[in-house]
Amino acid sequence: MPNWLGSMQRTYEYYVVDPGTWKDVRKLDNIKSSSIVRDSSVETLGSASMNTVGSIGECYVRIYLVTIQNGQKERFPLATVLVQTPAMSFNGKTATSTVDAYTPLLELKENPPPIGYSRLKDENIMQAAYEITREHVRAPVVKPICEETLADDFVSNTSDTWLTFTEDLIMKAKHEFALDDMGRILFAPKQEIASLQPVWTYTDDNSSILHPEVSMDQDLYGIPNVVEVVYSSQYETIDGTHTIFATARNEDPNSPTSVINRGREIIYRDTRPAISGEPTQHELDEYAKKLLEELSTIECNISYSHGYCPVRLGDCVRLNYTRAGLTDVKAKVVYQSISCDASCRVTEKAVYTKKLWG
């Protein structure tokens, strides 16, 4: 493994992948440049673009980063993508084209399930998802281990593709699709950012690969600073229905959303609290405080760039960029754009949570 913080030479290699064995079968020498996008907000989790001389047809292509450092040459897969038939241009000497390519999840998106297709109550959710995925893609699928079962029959909509149907199915087991750099399809459990362990730390010291430009975005609109909870007993009393009230207020002068700093109240009222049994006044007061604390936790977005390192979509990273006011911030990577050139610059977006009260 090279020292990603040190200097090195970078080149790229491209290979046609056999969809039956998922192995490299032929090196391509007519791809001149490429870029890769990994994006958790799109169904297929990413795409790629390649500039070619001549045609390579429709096939799977694996992109490798090749590094040379201290005389040692190593190769690292960046993506395995399905190249679509391109539009060609000809300048009188050579035919060139820019082709689009997509992750193996595209094959799940191409066709709908039969009308009325369903998976039955008490089926193992992830086993069903594994079977569906294996049947409709050529890429390898890594079998998940999860014992959660369906509480009811799960029926497809007429607008579903195999991808949307399976996505909705695995959400019931709190899983989501993921991909590794070899193009294998994974099922990843959904986790809170706080429970993740960072795989890389970005710093702003002299050996950092983090570029200086950083932008941050957080939306404080609508964050309440007062929570009111109303609980009405389901049992009638002599005097009528028993109702109790609880209020929690954010009056912390260090909180940017407090009543003091905003100069006004923003109220959230809960008239159907998720409480089992008949709560006491103290229990309802504690419920209101906990709810205000939960509603005062916001998701922040941060965008930055860095030299390549082995961080993937969905990984947790630690940000120690003191000049930008970021110290020991754990964030989850949700987007990457990789320029496959000599710099191998990665433009990255990550999200983290910030607690504003409590």
Side-chain angles (χ1 to χ4, degrees):
M1 184 70 69
N3 173 14
W4 297 107
L5 303 179
S7 60
M8 66 184 71
Q9 293 179 305
R10 298 182 180 90
T11 57
Y12 301 87
E13 293 178 354
Y14 303 86
Y15 289 83
V16 172
V17 175
D18 182 342
T21 64
W22 213 241
K23 295 181 179 179
D24 303 341
V25 292
R26 177 166 55 91
K27 187 177 180 181
L28 294 169
D29 295 319
N30 60 333
I31 299 178
K32 301 306 176 186
S33 63
S34 64
S35 61
I36 300 166
V37 171
R38 302 166 176 169
D39 190 346
S40 61
S41 69
V42 300
E43 285 183 330
T44 57
L45 299 182
S47 60
S49 178
M50 302 178 193
N51 296 313
T52 72
V53 176
S55 174
I56 58 175
E58 184 169 308
C59 60
Y60 272 108
V61 172
R62 184 166 292 134
I63 305 171
Y64 288 97
L65 166 65
V66 181
T67 64
I68 301 176
Q69 187 180 65
N70 300 324
Q72 185 172 355
K73 183 176 181 180
E74 296 182 77
R75 193 173 66 169
F76 303 92
L78 298 180
T80 303
V81 289
L82 179 60
V83 174
Q84 300 292 284
T85 303
M88 303 293 295
S89 62
F90 185 67
N91 64 4
K93 294 183 179 179
T94 57
T96 61
S97 64
T98 299
V99 300
D100 295 323
Y102 303 92
T103 73
L105 289 172
L106 180 70
E107 293 186 7
L108 275 178
K109 189 178 179 181
E110 291 175 327
N111 292 298
I115 294 174
Y117 179 84
S118 64
R119 304 300 295 216
L120 302 181
K121 179 182 176 180
D122 295 329
E123 271 197 87
N124 183 293
I125 294 172
M126 298 310 299
Q127 176 64 29
Y130 171 74
E131 292 171 358
I132 292 169
T133 307
R134 278 289 306 272
E135 183 178 351
H136 294 95
V137 302
R138 293 173 290 174
V141 183
V142 178
K143 189 174 183 178
I145 299 175
C146 179
E147 299 304 321
E148 192 156 347
T149 59
L150 285 169
D152 300 286
D153 292 352
F154 189 76
V155 184
S156 66
N157 297 316
T158 55
S159 59
D160 268 330
T161 64
W162 283 117
L163 181 56
T164 58
F165 178 82
T166 311
E167 279 182 329
D168 293 341
L169 177 63
I170 64 179
M171 281 181 61
K172 290 187 171 294
K174 297 181 180 178
H175 279 65
E176 58 191 351
F177 277 118
L179 295 161
D180 68 10
D181 296 332
M182 294 295 287
R184 292 175 295 196
I185 297 174
L186 316 173
F187 299 96
K190 288 197 168 189
Q191 296 176 279
E192 297 294 329
I193 295 174
S195 68
L196 298 174
Q197 293 301 313
V199 302
W200 192 271
T201 298
Y202 297 117
T203 66
D204 56 358
D205 56 28
N206 291 335
S207 62
S208 175
I209 58 173
L210 187 66
H211 297 174
E213 308 87 7
V214 172
S215 64
M216 290 171 281
D217 174 50
Q218 59 184 29
D219 186 5
L220 300 183
Y221 178 78
I223 301 295
N225 47 30
V226 177
V227 162
E228 297 177 349
V229 180
V230 182
Y231 178 83
S232 297
S233 172
Q234 59 180 317
Y235 303 107
E236 291 287 335
T237 65
I238 295 174
D239 300 324
T241 302
H242 176 59
T243 302
I244 55 176
F245 306 88
T247 301
R249 295 172 59 85
N250 177 1
E251 295 181 332
D252 182 354
N254 297 315
S255 170
T257 58
S258 68
V259 175
I260 296 170
N261 287 319
R262 276 186 157 162
R264 69 191 193 281
E265 292 183 347
I266 298 178
I267 300 173
Y268 178 89
R269 181 173 293 139
D270 185 356
T271 59
R272 304 182 70 178
I275 298 177
S276 59
E278 295 289 316
T280 64
Q281 183 65 57
H282 174 72
E283 288 171 337
L284 200 66
D285 290 340
E286 290 300 311
Y287 177 90
K289 290 179 182 177
K290 183 177 179 181
L291 182 57
L292 179 56
E293 183 176 341
E294 291 174 356
L295 295 173
S296 298
T297 300
I298 64 168
E299 190 173 89
C300 304
N301 300 280
I302 181 167
S303 301
Y304 50 92
S305 297
H306 58 80
Y308 181 80
C309 61
V311 170
R312 293 169 44 205
L313 197 69
D315 280 346
C316 177
V317 295
R318 179 179 283 111
L319 295 159
N320 280 328
Y321 196 2
T322 55
R323 284 176 288 180
L326 299 170
T327 303
D328 200 28
V329 171
K330 287 170 57 176
K332 182 178 180 180
V333 176
V334 297
Y335 174 91
Q336 291 179 318
S337 175
I338 305 174
S339 298
C340 297
D341 55 22
S343 67
C344 201
R345 181 186 179 105
V346 180
T347 300
E348 196 161 283
K349 295 179 184 178
V351 296
Y352 64 96
T353 54
K354 180 186 289 187
K355 195 174 179 181
L356 302 176
W357 182 80

